């Protein structure tokens, strides 16, 4: 296979990225930090099965392609909006190890596929812990000669049936902590691989609008629940203030009817809708 010149390689990359932008309505920006090459290879293969494509490359080149695209005569509002968000000077959205994933599928479906390709990994010296890590209580299976090692890490132990047993669970890492040599050695001795790495969605574009990863948790059910809670709160406020509207009308009528029932029970007063005597 002939080696492409730099300019030819860039031109080919530009054509591919523009073709993907023309074909797909959603672009997901996924963080590939700590994701292994074989893991990415398997993920690419799985994405292609649902007509979804991952594009990696230099961010300066990607920004340049977006900028040129937004300034062309055929530029759409979506092109201009994406360029304004990602190519702004000093903006750090499109940086480092982000991959662009192009799709017409629902974002939740792609996110589920990314989760399926999550792999377990051991702690490494200098790595930043993505989660809280706790060493559980119980028998470790290690020889009594290792007790000094646990003591140095302030982990309470005892000898049980010739092996070291951790008395109480101990948190050794918090999310965001840097893994030091002692902690990494401890986790390795205990056979604990506490981390999981995968391609994670940081944000995505759809029809010119930018959404964050947190927006993925919004579903039809959650929207319905929030809407119902809001309606209930407004209704309660209207009833309390005596404001009659479409929301409060039925509640105000019901409360008024309850008042009439109370009066009928207390006075034996009979009216057409209710006979107070029948409740005694």
């Amino acid at each position: 296979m002939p080696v492409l010149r730099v300019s030819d390689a860039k031109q080919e990359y530009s054509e591919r990225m523009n073709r993907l932008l023309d074909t797909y309505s959603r672009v997901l920006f996924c963080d590939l930090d700590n994701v292994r090459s074989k893991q990415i290879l398997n993920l690419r293969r799985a994405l292609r099965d649902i007509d979804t494509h991952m594009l990696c490359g230099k961010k300066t080149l990607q920004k340049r392609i977006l900028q040129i695209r937004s300034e062309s005569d055929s530029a759409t509002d979506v092109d201009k909006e994406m360029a304004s968000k990602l190519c702004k000077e000093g903006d750090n959205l499109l940086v480092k190890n982000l991959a662009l994933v192009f799709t017409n599928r629902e974002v939740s479906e792609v996110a589920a596929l990314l989760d399926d390709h999550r792999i377990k990994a051991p702690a490494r010296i200098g790595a930043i812990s993505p989660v809280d890590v706790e060493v559980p209580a119980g028998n470790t299976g290690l020889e009594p000669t290792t007790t000094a090692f646990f003591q140095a890490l302030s982990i309470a132990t005892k000898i049980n049936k010739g092996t070291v047993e951790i008395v109480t669970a101990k948190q050794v890492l918090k999310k965001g902590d840097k893994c030091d040599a002692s902690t990494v050695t401890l986790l390795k001795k205990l056979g604990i691989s506490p981390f999981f790495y995968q391609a994670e969605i940081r944000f995505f574009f759809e029809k010119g609008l930018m959404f964050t990863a947190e927006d993925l948790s919004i579903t039809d059910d959650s929207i319905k629940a929030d809407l119902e809670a809001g309606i209930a709160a407004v209704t309660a406020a209207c009833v309390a203030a005596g404001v009659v509207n479409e929301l409060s009308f039925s509640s105000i009528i019901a409360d008024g009817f309850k008042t009439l029932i109370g009066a009928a029970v207390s006075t034996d007063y009979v009216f057409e809708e209710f006979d107070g005597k029948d409740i005694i």
Side-chain angles (χ1 to χ4, degrees):
M1 181 177 178
V3 178
L4 296 175
R5 299 195 309 273
V6 174
S7 58
D8 291 338
K10 287 183 178 180
Q11 182 63 30
E12 184 178 295
Y13 187 94
S14 176
E15 290 174 358
R16 184 186 177 199
M17 183 169 171
N18 278 302
R19 185 169 62 252
L20 291 170
L21 287 167
D22 289 336
T23 307
Y24 299 97
S25 61
R26 298 183 178 95
V27 185
L28 287 62
F29 295 81
C30 302
D31 191 346
L32 298 183
D33 282 349
N34 299 304
V35 180
R36 298 175 181 176
S37 57
K38 185 177 180 181
Q39 188 180 357
I40 294 175
L41 180 64
N42 293 334
L43 179 58
R44 283 181 183 272
R45 189 177 295 124
L47 289 172
R48 285 196 295 270
D49 289 341
I50 60 170
D51 191 25
T52 298
H53 301 272
M54 177 185 289
L55 183 68
C56 301
K58 290 187 176 181
K59 299 301 168 279
T60 51
L61 178 57
Q62 292 174 352
K63 288 181 180 180
R64 182 60 181 160
I65 293 170
L66 291 173
Q67 191 66 50
I68 293 174
R69 184 181 176 90
S70 69
E71 294 172 354
S72 68
D73 294 335
S74 59
T76 64
D77 292 338
V78 174
D79 295 330
K80 295 176 182 178
E81 185 64 25
M82 185 178 292
S84 68
K85 294 284 188 183
L86 299 177
C87 303
K88 191 185 302 179
E89 189 173 346
D91 199 330
N92 293 321
L93 286 177
L94 191 56
V95 293
K96 296 184 179 178
N97 207 14
L98 283 182
L100 281 61
V101 177
F102 298 85
T103 186
N104 284 327
R105 298 287 187 129
E106 291 296 329
V107 177
S108 57
E109 182 181 352
V110 179
L113 185 59
L114 299 182
D115 291 340
D116 289 341
H117 286 76
R118 185 176 70 161
I119 63 170
K120 203 171 188 178
R124 299 195 310 270
I125 297 175
I128 302 300
S129 175
V131 294
D132 294 336
V133 179
E134 183 179 85
V135 174
N139 198 297
T140 65
L142 298 175
E143 296 180 355
T145 53
T146 60
T147 53
F149 178 75
F150 286 96
Q151 291 172 359
L153 295 172
S154 302
I155 298 176
T157 61
K158 65 179 181 180
I159 305 301
N160 184 19
K161 297 180 180 180
T163 57
V164 176
E165 181 178 318
I166 297 176
V167 178
T168 56
K170 171 80 171 182
Q171 186 179 59
V172 294
L173 285 173
K174 292 182 179 179
K175 184 176 181 179
D177 285 351
K178 182 178 287 188
C179 301
D180 57 30
S182 298
T183 303
V184 170
T185 303
L186 170 66
L187 295 174
K188 186 176 180 180
K189 283 180 178 290
L190 297 177
I192 297 175
S193 295
F195 302 156
F196 289 89
Y197 294 122
Q198 67 177 93
E200 295 187 25
I201 299 173
R202 294 304 181 198
F203 58 96
F204 62 95
F205 270 89
E206 181 175 352
K207 298 178 181 178
L209 299 176
M210 187 174 79
F211 301 91
T212 64
E214 288 74 20
D215 294 326
L216 289 174
S217 61
I218 300 175
T219 63
D220 291 342
D221 290 338
S222 65
I223 293 174
K224 180 181 178 182
D226 289 343
L227 184 60
E228 289 176 346
I231 291 173
V234 173
T235 301
C238 292
V239 171
V243 177
V244 181
N245 55 30
E246 292 183 5
L247 294 176
S248 63
F249 180 77
S250 60
S251 296
I252 290 175
I253 293 297
D255 288 344
F257 191 70
K258 290 176 184 177
T259 302
L260 289 176
I261 291 175
V265 171
S266 300
T267 63
D268 292 337
Y269 178 74
V270 178
F271 56 96
E272 184 176 349
E273 289 78 7
F274 184 81
D275 184 351
K277 294 179 179 179
D278 291 341
I279 206 170
I280 303 299

